[in-house]
């Protein structure tokens, strides 16, 4: 039977030798910074119903309610800093010739840590989009005026975030699948692996021949297809895997 040490060593060796790496992250990597996750015992979906807050229908019904929820979350994220897992991914990017970071997180902590080639699949909590003229802009107001309006046309602004039932940016999806299909090592960190299409990048990478490493506190639906599952907190597992 493989010992934990040899499995971890194999993962480290593969990552150390790879010339192309793609990383997929989820809420678990930011949990160590204090950002709430969605699922699990302390996840947001324990206290809030996604269909009332994270769908276009919910926003049409009650934009103020949705904005108040985002205002509360923006306040929480504003108090959080990148952790050693975000920092380790920055170091990984600096030494790998072809590197892509695909994140489902909207908190912006990867860029704040210094990651360069980042695709924010589900948008960014510090961006707003006009429902009328569709212009996207930055807004870091905490608290934000509820509801906020577009400076250009006066239209109602919404969070620049991908809600359930909405399509991800087609260019992002294309780039993400391309990264998953062409990398030698695919590292998936802190995601429950149930939200599509992001969850499917893991099996795409595996099918295309990548060595797949998962780092998570718990097993996920992806665990049975990955080559190595490293159990633990991202802020501890990633630095020891990457450095
Ligand atoms: C740690 C840790 C530590 C904790 N260290 N680890 C195919 C089949 C079925 C359904 C669909 C399908 N295709 C599309 C759908 C519908 C839907 C979907 O996937 N639903 C599923 C729930 C079944 N997908 C969509 O609607 C997507 N759009 C789309 O596909 O458009 C085309 C289409 C539409 C409709 C039908 C068909 C096609 C859009 C998805 C947008 C997701 N948006 C959200 C909310 C954004 C709001 C916001 O942030 O304000 O994005 S949902 C929420 O989940 C958020 C996250 O990015 C996303 C993923 O969550 P994540 O990151 O995995 O977090 P958690 O909390 O779930 O897990 C945390 C993990 O970390 C756990 O595993 C812990 O163990 C671990 N952990 N602490 C390491 N310290
Ligand atoms: Zn506008």
């Amino acid at each position: 039977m493989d010992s934990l040490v040899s499995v971890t060593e194999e993962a480290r060796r593969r990552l150390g030798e790879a010339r192309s790496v793609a990383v997929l992250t989820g809420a678990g990597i930011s949990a160590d910074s204090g950002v709430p996750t969605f699922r699990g015992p302390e996840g947001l979906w324990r206290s809030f119903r996604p269909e009332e807050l994270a769908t276009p229908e919910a926003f049409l019904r009650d934009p103020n309610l949705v904005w108040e929820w985002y205002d509360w979350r923006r306040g929480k994220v504003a108090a959080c800093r990148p952790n050693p897992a975000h920092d380790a991914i920055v170091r990984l990017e600096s030494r790998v010739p072809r590197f892509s970071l695909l994140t489902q997180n909207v908190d912006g902590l990867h860029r704040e840590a210094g990651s360069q080639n980042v695709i924010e699949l589900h948008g960014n909590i510090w961006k707003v989009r006009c429902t009328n003229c569709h212009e996207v802009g930055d807004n870091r107001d905490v608290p934000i005026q509820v509801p906020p309006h577009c400076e250009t046309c006066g239209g109602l602004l919404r969070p620049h975030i991908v809600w359930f039932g909405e399509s991800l940016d087609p260019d992002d999806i294309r780039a993400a699948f391309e990264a998953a299909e062409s990398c030698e090592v695919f590292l998936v960190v802190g995601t429950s692996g149930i939200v599509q299409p992001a969850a499917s990048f893991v099996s795409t990478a595996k099918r295309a021949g990548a060595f797949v490493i998962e780092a998570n506190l718990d097993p996920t639906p992806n665990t049975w297809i990955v080559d190595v599952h490293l159990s633990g907190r991202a802020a501890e597992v990633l630095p020891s895997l990457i450095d």
Side-chain angles (χ1 to χ4, degrees), residues 139-158:
N139 180 309
R140 295 198 76 95
D141 298 349
V142 178
I144 192 168
Q145 185 201 329
V146 174
H149 288 277
C150 176
E151 283 177 10
T152 309
C153 78
L156 178 64
L157 293 174
R158 59 163 280 176

Side-chain angles (χ1 to χ4, degrees), residues 89-156:
I89 291 175
V90 176
R91 293 192 294 278
L92 181 63
E93 179 170 15
S94 73
R95 70 166 201 237
V96 174
R98 283 207 310 125
F99 180 89
S100 304
L101 174 53
L102 321 171
T103 186
Q104 298 167 86
N105 298 343
V106 300
D107 53 39
L109 291 180
H110 282 299
R111 283 191 207 279
E112 191 179 329
S115 286
Q116 302 286 321
N117 190 15
V118 189
I119 298 178
E120 292 177 319
L121 296 161
H122 294 163
N124 188 300
I125 202 162
W126 301 113
K127 289 191 171 160
V128 290
R129 185 166 83 239
C130 180
T131 57
N132 183 49
C133 73
H134 309 293
E135 195 172 282
V136 176
D138 293 321
N139 180 309
R140 295 198 76 95
D141 298 349
V142 178
I144 192 168
Q145 185 201 329
V146 174
H149 288 277
C150 176
E151 283 177 10
T152 309
C153 78
L156 178 64

Side-chain angles (χ1 to χ4, degrees), residues 36-228:
T37 62
F38 293 90
R39 298 163 187 86
E42 286 163 32
L44 291 168
W45 296 155
R46 281 285 158 128
S47 325
F48 303 97
R49 290 163 57 83
E51 58 275 26
E52 282 169 15
L53 296 162
T55 64
E57 295 77 19
F59 188 71
L60 271 177
R61 203 164 42 232
D62 194 344
N64 282 11
L65 177 74
V66 172
W67 263 119
E68 272 155 20
W69 187 61
Y70 277 96
D71 186 41
W72 171 76
R73 285 183 53 209
R74 285 159 61 105
K76 277 193 164 303
V77 173
C80 297
R81 298 278 77 83
N83 67 59
H86 296 103
D87 296 339
I89 291 175
V90 176
R91 293 192 294 278
L92 181 63
E93 179 170 15
S94 73
R95 70 166 201 237
V96 174
R98 283 207 310 125
F99 180 89
S100 304
L101 174 53
L102 321 171
T103 186
Q104 298 167 86
N105 298 343
V106 300
D107 53 39
L109 291 180
H110 282 299
R111 283 191 207 279
E112 191 179 329
S115 286
Q116 302 286 321
N117 190 15
V118 189
I119 298 178
E120 292 177 319
L121 296 161
H122 294 163
N124 188 300
I125 202 162
W126 301 113
K127 289 191 171 160
V128 290
R129 185 166 83 239
C130 180
T131 57
N132 183 49
C133 73
H134 309 293
E135 195 172 282
V136 176
D138 293 321
N139 180 309
R140 295 198 76 95
D141 298 349
V142 178
I144 192 168
Q145 185 201 329
V146 174
H149 288 277
C150 176
E151 283 177 10
T152 309
C153 78
L156 178 64
L157 293 174
R158 59 163 280 176
H160 186 51
I161 281 186
V162 182
W163 286 323
F164 283 115
E166 294 187 313
S167 296
L168 283 68
D169 182 319
D171 290 339
D172 287 351
I173 300 190
R174 204 172 306 119
F177 274 113
E178 211 170 280
E181 277 166 353
S182 64
C183 64
E184 289 165 43
V185 173
F186 190 86
L187 171 61
V188 49
V189 186
T191 175
S192 54
I194 57 177
V195 173
Q196 298 294 348
S200 67
F201 301 154
V202 181
S203 49
T204 298
K206 181 67 192 161
R207 265 199 314 276
F211 186 83
V212 182
I213 306 167
E214 176 180 63
N216 200 302
L217 270 185
D218 296 314
T220 74
N222 284 321
T223 301
W224 70 277
I225 64 163
V226 305
D227 294 286
V228 173

